[in-house]
Amino acid sequence: MTATLGLFGSPISTYYNKVKIALLEFGLPFEEIELAPGAGQWPGTGSPSGKIPFLRHGDQGIYESQAIIEYLEDIRNATTPSLFPADPVDRARCRELILYLELYLDTPMRPVYQSVFWGKDLAADSLQHAIEAVEAGLALLMRRASLDPWLCGTQFTHADCAAWVHLTTIQWALALAGHKGFVQERAAALTDYLERLAERPSIARVEADRREASRRIKAERAAAQGR
Ligand SMILES: N[C@@H](CCC(=O)N[C@@H](CS)C(=O)NCC(=O)O)C(=O)O
């Protein structure tokens, strides 16, 4: 690998951090270029969807977090272990679990995030809808998760990178929306699992960067509003 990898996005973004954990796990050198969600202009400095993250590798752009991590798999150093299991059935289950996290847990929570993190209005039935969806999504995830000790079994995989960012953000957002402990009550085994994940150096680094960026962005917003 010759050209530098540039990761565009924000350290407070879930999908950005899913990719960043994989970059750190692979030990691939990369630089971070901060771009707020929705701030990029296609085809200039942005992604086709306007979403973050995206990756620049030399003069090439790679878009969508799942496509990015599959690309990182392809370019990683041959001596670095894959973050997908070796067995094809296990690989499929790893991708399946990522889809559960993103389609059935993250997606229904988006209106709640807009409200609790960005101050947008949230209709009472939207919160109820999100809560019901998360309950069903967690049941689905737990039907197929191993947690012994990682989501897909003995090997730490991309599913764990996705699980950390999505499950911790859901917990946090639901607590802010008045439902503290919802995830732990519905899926008790996730508590120990998330503690194990928090100890992983790649995740500890991403979490420290997220907290630091979050404090900075909050202070900038307050200053802009004259508070
Ligand atoms: N499917 C996309 C989702 C990325 C995504 O939703 N990013 C959020 C930030 S976490 C974003 O850019 N939101 C701004 C927008 O939707 O305009 C991926 O996997 O990369």
Side-chain angles (χ1 to χ4, degrees), residues 29-45:
F30 64 101
E31 56 181 340
E32 296 182 70
I33 302 97
E34 194 156 342
L35 203 58
Q41 297 292 312
W42 175 260
T45 54

Side-chain angles (χ1 to χ4, degrees), residues 117-168:
F117 298 141
W118 302 102
K120 303 254 168 71
D121 288 339
L122 181 71
D125 60 345
S126 302
L127 178 59
Q128 191 50 35
H129 174 263
I131 283 173
E132 285 166 18
V134 167
E135 185 156 30
L138 285 173
L140 178 58
L141 187 74
M142 297 308 281
R143 238 169 258 152
R144 295 285 285 158
S146 152
L147 307 183
D148 187 20
W150 305 118
L151 205 65
C152 298
T154 53
Q155 185 189 346
F156 179 92
T157 69
H158 290 292
D160 297 296
C161 307
W164 172 262
V165 298
H166 294 304
L167 294 174
T168 55

Side-chain angles (χ1 to χ4, degrees), residues 13-15 37-38 51-53 64-65 110:
S13 148
T14 46
Y15 289 92
K51 295 189 184 197
I52 55 161
E64 286 288 317
S65 64
R110 286 279 146 176

Side-chain angles (χ1 to χ4, degrees), residues 42-57:
W42 175 260
T45 54
S47 66
S49 64
K51 295 189 184 197
I52 55 161
F54 59 91
L55 192 76
R56 280 274 153 76
H57 192 187

Side-chain angles (χ1 to χ4, degrees), residues 89-124:
V89 172
D90 293 340
R91 289 168 85 83
R93 185 162 68 109
C94 179
R95 293 184 169 104
E96 173 198 342
L97 289 166
I98 295 172
L99 287 169
Y100 291 161
L101 286 156
E102 296 185 351
L103 296 179
Y104 302 108
L105 286 160
D106 171 71
T107 301
M109 279 297 289
R110 286 279 146 176
V112 182
Y113 294 167
Q114 287 296 319
S115 166
V116 298
F117 298 141
W118 302 102
K120 303 254 168 71
D121 288 339
L122 181 71

